[in-house]
Amino acid sequence: MAYYEINGGRPLEGQVTISGAKNAALAIIPATILAGEPCVIENLPMIEDVHVLAEILRLMGASVDLNDNGCMRIDPTTITEFEVTFDMVSQLRASYYLLGAMLGRYGHAALALPGGCSIGPRPIDFHIKGMRALGAEVVTRNGIVYADAKALRGADIYLDMVSVGATINIMLAACRADGTTVIANAAKEPHVVDVANFLNMMGASIKGAGTDVIRIRGRKQLHGCSYAIIPDQIEAGTFMIAAAATRGSVVINNIIPTHLEAISAKLMESGVRVTEGDDGSDFFMHVDASCRPRAINIKTLPYPGFPTDLQQPMTAFLATAQGNSFIVENIFEDRYNHVPELVRMGAKITVTGRTAMIEGVEKLYGATITATDLRAGAALIVAALAAEGESKVRNIHYIDRGYEHLEQKMRALGADIVRIGR
Ligand code: UD1
């Protein structure tokens, strides 16, 4: 099994360019099914989850060409397989988007229940509730969700909890429903807006994405289009946090500053200098940290709050803050699997329920540490880059799922990181 060997303690310095957004990509790729015509998606991150999704579409019969520059052409007209129950599907959380896309396009979907990172229970009951509200019959048998609808019809749908996945999935199906769908208490994450923009480029009529009420007027037909996805908020945030944790100075290019406000605010509160800029063609963020941060408190919240996906890297950063920091994880029940690994590196962190108390220590020390999920992996990379001495980070297949060329980007910033094995 491949692992990273990292010699920590070197400040990250230089410039890094952010790739396309993973979570937008994972929704937009299945959304092409709705077009009924070929689509071209640009600025895709070259990450494992994108390759897996491309393979799933190929197994369904679609023609998918992906080049090394992150440009994918998908022709969904040749899809003949509507029972999407192979192993690959259950490995990928985002495969749930096939449900909304297939239901919208074909009126039928059979989908293996999605897997993904293990960060506590991750039901899809809101997705199912949404599909039922649109008129589908949905049953789950032997780990497979079957959804059928003679005709989808628009509906008013209130989400009991803000859910990114359910918001997007309902948007996908509702694009092809008869009449208007209103999603209340919708998620406002940047990738929700990006998916809505993509669907509108295909001829859909979606208004209000980015607010908590989204209106979708169903269309009989959509068409193919060409679309470039937004930069990844979470990758950008990870580099911001890594720069701060290593007391470095990094310019992060290809970002959308408003997507990073919660992260900038928290880093600045801890004493890190964060400045936004515009070089005429692109926005960038400069993160500059030279000394130990102050302790701060963080609560994860739906966008525009502090993203749960950066809670884990932030824990690694705050492990060496001056004073006690408190983190409250409000989105997922069990998202502290990185903590025992940080403790092995010398961190002092106690988790009680959804709260982690971090007593800042002067330094972390290199250790052999194991990633348990994607963002836990990112947290361990941040910790290992900042720590004194050598670390081995194991289970890096999780990190490959969501970060493009991580070691190359880190090495370009001066990190001593080597991938060992395959
Ligand atoms: C997406 C992101 C993930 C991010 C998360 C929160 C993708 C592929 N993944 O995950 O990176 O961490 O948003 O920003 O985009 N819930 C239910 N029932 C449901 C759906 C969700 O109870 O049917 C709960 C979840 O267990 C969780 C909360 O709602 O506690 C929010 O989950 P949700 O926003 O749906 O996350 P995901 O779409 O799984």
Side-chain angles (χ1 to χ4, degrees):
M1 285 285 244
Y3 62 92
Y4 282 133
E5 209 167 71
I6 298 176
N7 260 302
R10 299 164 175 233
L12 294 181
E13 265 161 24
Q15 305 215 10
V16 64
T17 299
I18 297 307
S19 303
K22 161 185 169 284
N23 287 345
L26 299 185
I28 287 173
I29 294 169
T32 59
I33 292 175
L34 288 161
E37 283 180 359
C39 293
V40 175
I41 311 168
E42 288 164 28
N43 200 33
L44 283 169
M46 292 292 96
I47 54 174
E48 200 46 35
D49 276 5
V50 165
H51 292 296
V52 170
L53 205 41
E55 197 48 35
I56 291 172
L57 282 180
R58 283 189 193 109
L59 290 171
M60 292 170 70
S63 150
V64 183
D65 299 309
L66 174 61
N67 74 18
D68 291 342
N69 296 327
C71 179
M72 189 187 274
R73 184 181 184 279
I74 303 172
D75 180 354
T77 53
T78 49
I79 289 180
T80 47
E81 185 57 79
F82 309 118
E83 308 270 315
V84 192
T85 54
F86 20 91
D87 277 356
M88 266 186 187
V89 175
S90 51
Q91 286 162 22
L92 183 71
R93 173 85 184 153
S95 53
Y96 50 43
Y97 292 131
L98 291 165
L99 188 69
M102 286 199 291
L103 195 61
R105 176 80 177 93
Y106 310 116
H108 169 73
L111 182 75
L113 278 169
C117 283
S118 88
I119 51 179
R122 298 182 79 179
I124 60 162
D125 51 326
F126 303 157
H127 303 234
I128 292 175
K129 184 179 154 189
M131 301 305 152
R132 285 191 177 132
L134 293 172
E137 272 185 37
V138 187
V139 289
T140 303
R141 273 195 310 270
N142 304 327
I144 297 171
V145 189
Y146 297 88
D148 283 281
K150 285 210 172 59
L152 293 174
R153 50 171 198 281
D156 287 355
I157 301 168
Y158 172 79
L159 295 177
D160 298 328
M161 204 173 147
V162 176
S163 161
V164 171
T167 302
I168 293 178
N169 225 348
I170 295 167
M171 276 193 328
L172 297 182
C175 275
R176 298 289 297 256
D178 289 333
T180 300
T181 298
V182 177
I183 309 174
N185 199 25
K188 297 180 279 201
E189 267 65 4
H191 43 289
V192 173
V193 180
D194 207 37
V195 177
N197 288 341
F198 170 72
L199 293 169
N200 284 340
M201 286 278 276
M202 290 202 309
S205 168
I206 303 178
K207 292 190 174 147
T211 75
D212 43 26
V213 180
I214 302 179
R215 266 167 222 283
I216 306 129
R217 270 185 46 211
R219 294 268 196 241
K220 290 235 169 338
Q221 254 188 321
L222 301 175
H223 52 76
C225 70
S226 190
Y227 189 79
I229 66 170
I230 51 166
D232 196 301
Q233 174 207 25
I234 304 301
E235 189 200 10
T238 304
F239 276 97
M240 290 170 74
I241 294 168
T246 58
R247 319 291 183 248
S249 173
V250 175
V251 173
I252 297 154
N253 295 312
N254 191 33
I255 50 130
I256 299 177
T258 44
H259 295 171
L260 302 172
E261 273 170 10
I263 303 118
S264 304
K266 282 291 154 186
L267 287 176
M268 287 194 279
E269 193 183 325
S270 77
V272 175
R273 282 181 297 280
V274 182
T275 40
E276 263 174 52
D278 178 357
D279 67 9
S281 64
D282 211 355
F283 292 110
F284 64 85
M285 194 71 90
H286 181 198
V287 177
D288 184 18
S290 47
C291 49
R292 253 182 104 181
R294 290 188 289 275
I296 53 166
N297 300 330
I298 291 177
K299 287 183 183 166
T300 64
L301 289 169
Y303 187 82
F306 192 90
T308 171
D309 283 354
L310 291 174
Q311 175 266 106
Q312 293 153 298
M314 203 66 175
T315 312
F317 165 64
L318 292 174
T320 56
Q322 281 181 315
N324 294 348
S325 302
F326 289 84
I327 294 188
V328 181
E329 171 54 61
N330 287 309
I331 310 294
F332 290 107
E333 261 175 49
D334 190 14
R335 208 167 197 179
Y336 286 121
N337 290 327
H338 56 303
V339 166
E341 303 304 299
L342 296 178
V343 169
R344 292 156 63 81
M345 302 177 78
K348 284 194 183 164
I349 307 175
T350 342
V351 175
T352 315
R354 286 178 179 261
T355 304
M357 189 190 79
I358 307 166
E359 282 176 70
V361 294
E362 176 108 21
K363 266 187 192 167
L364 296 180
Y365 297 92
T368 297
I369 42 184
T370 306
T372 51
D373 60 79
L374 167 59
R375 306 301 173 187
L380 300 187
I381 299 283
V382 168
L385 290 170
E388 186 176 297
E390 188 185 286
S391 293
K392 285 191 172 68
V393 182
R394 298 194 302 201
N395 271 0
I396 59 174
H397 59 278
Y398 286 117
I399 301 165
D400 295 340
R401 285 190 41 212
Y403 289 90
E404 179 180 70
H405 304 144
L406 184 80
E407 69 267 30
Q408 288 90 328
K409 289 186 182 186
M410 288 294 182
R411 266 210 300 272
L413 294 173
D416 182 350
I417 173 170
V418 190
R419 188 185 184 99
I420 314 274
R422 306 186 108 245

